[in-house]
Amino acid sequence: MIAMSDIYEKIMDLAKRRGFIWPTSECYGSVAGFIDYGPLGSMMKRNIENIWRKFYIVSEGYYEIECPTIGQEEIYVASGHVKGFSDKMCQCPHCREYLRADHIAEGNGIAGASAMKSEELASVIGTLPCPACEEVLGPVEVFSFNLMFHTTIGPGSQRTGYLRPETAQGIFTDFSRLLRFYRDRLPFGTVQIGKSYRNEISPRQGMIRLREFTQAEAEIFVHPDQKRHPRFHRYADYEMPLFSAEQQRAGASPLSMTMQEAVQRGVVANEYVAYYLALTHDLLVRIGISAERLRFRQHLPDELAHYAEDCWDAEVFSSRFGWVETVGIADRTDYDLRAHEQQSGERFAVFLPYETPQRMNRVRVVPNMGALGPRFRGSAKAIADAIGTSLPGPDGITLTIEGNEMLITPDLYEVREEVVEVPGEEVTPHVIEPSYGIDRMIYGVLEHSYHEEIVDDEERRVLRFPPAVAPIQVAVFPLMNRDGLPEIAMEITDALKNRGILAEYDDSGAIGRRYRRQDEVGTPFAITVDYDTREDRTVTVRDRDSMRQVRVDSARIPDLIRSLIDQTVSFAEL
RNA sequence: GCAUCGAUGGUCUAGUGGCAUGACUUAGGCCUUCCAAGCCUAUAGCCCGGGUUCAAUUCCCGGUCGAUGCACCA
């Protein structure tokens, strides 16, 4: 068994040695919070992203878009990141510790500190002790530290830009185009996979907290009153552990239940959220996260964003970091679209026609301009506008125009009752957002796939990746480096490549060493060409996990390996 | 960001104010008929900047990165 304390070191060491993860730009000294994906890491990342695409694009039908990683200031004013994504900080003049100014105030029982302006906060905390050195702070400067990377766009104008702190906003700002693309109907979804940036104050957990990271996000736009997922039946009976807010408060454990139950019992807000909880569980297990080390935790009321109706985190257990939030699934209501409506002045709504236009009685107050004009002259327009939105009393309408209260008598307007046909309504959709941290998923897969075992008194290190995740899918070896075996092995390698399979030929060193090399990078299958191959064209296929081998006709190899990778056939069945 | 500790080939490591150890890995070769065997050969290293010194990988100062604690953390 592996000592849990050093599994992280072992994994990162292997990842570094074998080309999965490297510290970035090492020749100049690395920078914390940034990593390079090496050859095998890039391949593995792409495989995971493509599995994600299979779930969201192929299966759900939510197309992918790609937006810039730099956005103009307005986007992030609207999203709240310019204001809300910064911390009010100060530095203790005595011990030079950087501190959260609002936390100092709140820690001393001062309410509403998070809403205060910097100057106000500074004067409040001046008399308080530093939590680090306990000296009274005295006059301090409170400054905002924004977690967004700041830049300027173009020369001269110095227009402010930010590196995006999440991919989601690109989807919101494209809402009108997307709505038209999806032909003006709800629900529809759009996804984006790409880099996001957060200038973390002190990123220290390896690839768990990065300053540049990859997100895969889906934004699903639904009718606010229709949160039943049209394909809910797919996951209705899917059972998994849910760590609800209630269970957390009670100090209890997660409860295992089906999605159907979860929605019926009100544990999960609606079918959409439940559906993506199950889909996420399905996906994470499929890429190699162990189900025993995966849970879904609901946000407690105090950590739930004020606009969110429900939010769950998929948490992956790491023996080093504990439960790591890896995916967030939230019902964000109409918050984002409303925010961009307000900032941009554009309307972000869907016009939904009724099945049959509805007849409605409407009372309209129509001002009599012929009488209003001569009587009120310059104020006539303002009065007419006010009349249009008023409810007349028996004696007329009382209005306050330019500070003067006045009575508008019934002869100055006409009340018309009319029947109008309303063809439909405008609806601002609600947004269901599953948001995945790809890098954290990769770390989770690495940690959960890593195994050490003793074979013939030798330690064997093996990454038990699912075949679809493994960077190298199959290795091909000639048993001996002569007698025509290499030629046959190279032919088989070519046949595999022609079938779109990532195959690696290797004839260096003893056969056992070659198997071990592939075990360590998680290659699921290895084909060996031996002397029998010359006689009957059969080769051995070796399974990484069981180390068992079967002999098969070499002509069948490309199709067989394809099926093994796609998991339509399992090795045990051979 | 603060405090403590650390940094020597790809990896692990010995050691030093004056030619820098060894093992593993990797590459080439010999051998070898299925799970890191053996033999020969080769490649490759003192985190960065400044200072002290005739001479610094070694001592001093500053920085970077990493670990730990504090603080911070969609």
Side-chain angles (χ1 to χ4, degrees), chain A residues 159-280:
Chain A
R159 193 170 179 190
T160 294
Y162 292 103
L163 270 68
R164 64 181 178 195
E166 59 178 29
T167 56
Q169 298 306 324
I171 297 176
F172 299 136
T173 53
D174 279 351
F175 177 79
S176 298
R177 294 266 178 211
L178 287 166
L179 177 62
R180 191 141 313 180
F181 174 85
Y182 283 104
R183 291 187 280 139
D184 297 292
R185 281 181 301 195
L186 290 178
F188 69 86
T190 300
V191 306
Q192 181 160 206
I193 300 181
K195 290 293 186 81
S196 293
Y197 303 83
R198 293 178 192 176
N199 201 0
E200 300 285 353
I201 297 165
S202 172
R204 275 219 306 197
Q205 294 150 339
M207 56 184 298
I208 297 296
R209 225 159 104 235
L210 294 169
R211 287 181 166 133
E212 172 172 331
F213 55 100
T214 300
Q215 284 187 307
E217 294 192 300
E219 308 298 329
I220 301 143
F221 298 96
V222 305
H223 192 290
D225 304 328
Q226 295 167 18
K227 292 191 178 174
R228 305 200 57 176
H229 195 291
R231 296 204 298 158
F232 188 66
H233 60 270
R234 281 182 73 210
Y235 286 119
D237 296 325
Y238 197 98
E239 188 170 337
M240 55 190 240
L242 294 179
F243 199 17
S244 63
E246 194 185 327
Q247 291 296 106
Q248 291 169 59
R249 256 198 310 269
S253 312
L255 286 179
S256 188
M257 64 182 87
T258 66
M259 293 305 102
Q260 184 86 58
E261 278 180 83
V263 174
Q264 273 165 6
R265 288 166 54 181
V267 174
V268 177
N270 54 58
E271 283 188 4
Y272 266 100
V273 173
Y275 183 94
Y276 291 104
L277 286 174
L279 184 149
T280 298

Side-chain angles (χ1 to χ4, degrees), chain A residues 252-360:
Chain A
S253 312
L255 286 179
S256 188
M257 64 182 87
T258 66
M259 293 305 102
Q260 184 86 58
E261 278 180 83
V263 174
Q264 273 165 6
R265 288 166 54 181
V267 174
V268 177
N270 54 58
E271 283 188 4
Y272 266 100
V273 173
Y275 183 94
Y276 291 104
L277 286 174
L279 184 149
T280 298
H281 187 276
D282 190 6
L283 191 157
L284 291 178
V285 170
R286 203 83 66 88
I287 63 166
I289 297 292
S290 119
E292 295 76 48
R293 286 179 267 177
L294 172 61
R295 72 177 188 190
F296 287 76
R297 192 183 69 80
Q298 190 171 34
H299 278 206
L300 296 167
D302 60 328
E303 58 182 323
L304 196 62
H306 67 275
Y307 49 82
E309 202 158 291
D310 195 8
C311 184
W312 291 76
D313 288 333
E315 297 184 326
V316 171
F317 187 78
S318 156
S319 60
R320 175 56 162 267
F321 303 112
W323 290 101
V324 177
E325 53 180 289
T326 302
V327 183
I329 297 159
D331 181 338
R332 298 176 59 93
T333 69
D334 57 7
Y335 173 81
D336 305 277
L337 291 179
R338 295 255 186 231
H340 283 294
E341 276 187 343
Q342 204 159 24
Q343 182 73 23
S344 69
E346 203 171 308
R347 183 93 167 98
F348 285 163
V350 187
F351 180 79
L352 296 172
Y354 297 132
E355 275 180 36
T356 50
Q358 292 185 7
R359 287 168 168 277
M360 295 175 89

Side-chain angles (χ1 to χ4, degrees), chain A residues 51 67 104 129 131 194 237 240 256 309 368 381 405 530 549:
Chain A
I51 293 170
C67 305
I104 300 173
D237 296 325
M240 55 190 240
S256 188
E309 202 158 291
N368 179 353
K381 174 85 172 84
E405 191 166 302
D530 58 18
Q549 288 178 297

Side-chain angles (χ1 to χ4, degrees), chain A residues 23 44 129 151 238 265 316 322 339 359 426 447 473 499 509 574:
Chain A
M44 177 188 175
T151 188
Y238 197 98
R265 288 166 54 181
V316 171
R359 287 168 168 277
E426 278 201 329
E447 192 180 306
Q473 296 172 311
R499 192 75 174 72
L574 297 181

Side-chain angles (χ1 to χ4, degrees), chain A residues 334-493:
Chain A
D334 57 7
Y335 173 81
D336 305 277
L337 291 179
R338 295 255 186 231
H340 283 294
E341 276 187 343
Q342 204 159 24
Q343 182 73 23
S344 69
E346 203 171 308
R347 183 93 167 98
F348 285 163
V350 187
F351 180 79
L352 296 172
Y354 297 132
E355 275 180 36
T356 50
Q358 292 185 7
R359 287 168 168 277
M360 295 175 89
N361 288 320
R362 195 172 59 175
V363 177
R364 204 151 64 95
V365 185
V366 183
N368 179 353
M369 291 313 287
L372 282 172
R375 171 106 53 106
F376 295 102
R377 299 186 182 270
S379 306
K381 174 85 172 84
I383 292 168
D385 289 346
I387 288 175
T389 60
S390 305
L391 266 184
D395 305 326
I397 304 171
T398 309
L399 294 176
T400 309
I401 298 294
E402 288 154 13
N404 305 315
E405 191 166 302
M406 56 182 78
L407 181 73
I408 309 297
T409 50
D411 59 305
L412 297 173
Y413 58 86
E414 188 184 347
V415 177
R416 287 190 202 153
E417 282 190 32
E418 47 195 26
V419 176
V420 287
E421 283 210 334
V422 182
E425 61 179 340
E426 278 201 329
V427 166
T428 303
H430 280 197
V431 171
I432 311 294
E433 179 192 77
S435 168
Y436 295 67
I438 296 286
D439 312 87
R440 290 180 174 188
M441 285 158 68
I442 289 172
Y443 178 75
V445 172
L446 283 171
E447 192 180 306
H448 293 188
S449 300
Y450 183 80
H451 292 270
E452 284 176 358
E453 55 196 36
I454 302 297
V455 178
D456 297 333
D457 293 331
E458 258 328 314
E459 185 184 71
R460 182 171 96 112
R461 283 182 299 272
V462 50
L463 288 172
R464 296 198 203 280
F465 290 146
V469 167
I472 297 169
Q473 296 172 311
V474 60
V476 187
F477 309 140
L479 182 61
M480 289 296 137
N481 200 1
R482 59 170 188 236
D483 303 325
L485 303 186
E487 288 74 11
I488 303 174
M490 281 191 260
E491 270 173 41
I492 292 172
T493 311

